[in-house]
Amino acid sequence: MPTRKATATWEGGLKNGKGSFKGESGAISAQYNFSSRFESGAGSNPEELLAAAEAACYTMALSSGLEKNGTPPTKVETTAACTIQAVPGGFAITTMKLNVQATVPKIDKVKFDQIAQETKEGCPVSKALKGNVDLQLEARLL
């Protein structure tokens, strides 16, 4: 299986410094700084990247689970919200909230919810977060 890489650079101190990151594929890159991470400033941040990773992984895994059930989706859309908070000794990513909505022909709500919950526990990014981050899910069948 492949190993994926990204590079980040930071220049200066925490509050007045600036950084950038890029993925090896060239598909992702952005600037970040104290304000974009801990306030509402312009730029990206590690939590946005983590939320994107969780949303993409979960969406793909849910589509796979639904297909294996014999009920392939026509569309799955997931929003992930990653929260960083001050904790004793610094900062921590505390919560990842997933909000998924899916159009899935020929499935009932109970089965959909079961597959959605199993996917929350089983997708690779969720597994990486397990035990460290409160992973929450709201799933809606359209």
Side-chain angles (χ1 to χ4, degrees):
M1 297 302 289
T3 298
R4 307 297 186 198
K5 297 177 186 173
T7 303
T9 302
W10 188 266
E11 297 173 355
L14 178 63
K15 286 212 172 190
N16 295 317
K18 62 181 178 179
S20 63
F21 61 81
K22 64 180 176 180
E24 70 180 331
S25 70
I28 60 167
S29 66
Q31 304 293 314
Y32 68 110
N33 55 54
F34 184 88
S35 179
S36 71
R37 185 162 194 201
F38 298 108
E39 298 168 348
S40 296
S44 188
N45 53 69
E47 292 71 33
E48 180 179 52
L49 288 169
L50 189 55
E54 175 66 13
C57 185
Y58 180 86
T59 301
M60 191 175 194
L62 180 58
S63 295
S64 174
L66 291 164
E67 186 174 49
K68 287 177 185 173
N69 184 60
T71 53
T74 55
K75 184 176 181 182
V76 177
E77 184 176 341
T78 305
T79 300
C82 182
T83 302
I84 186 169
Q85 294 181 307
V87 298
F91 290 89
I93 293 171
T94 57
T95 309
M96 181 75 74
K97 293 182 181 178
L98 297 172
N99 186 315
V100 61
Q101 54 187 26
T103 304
V104 188
K106 301 178 184 173
I107 194 170
D108 63 59
K109 176 80 170 124
V110 172
K111 188 64 177 178
F112 172 75
D113 287 344
Q114 175 193 345
I115 295 169
Q117 285 295 327
E118 289 170 355
T119 302
K120 182 187 87 158
E121 301 300 320
C123 95
V125 175
S126 292
K127 286 180 181 179
L129 298 174
K130 191 173 185 173
N132 295 308
V133 176
D134 178 19
L135 189 56
Q136 302 172 7
L137 173 66
E138 182 179 325
R140 190 171 58 161
L141 183 60
L142 299 178

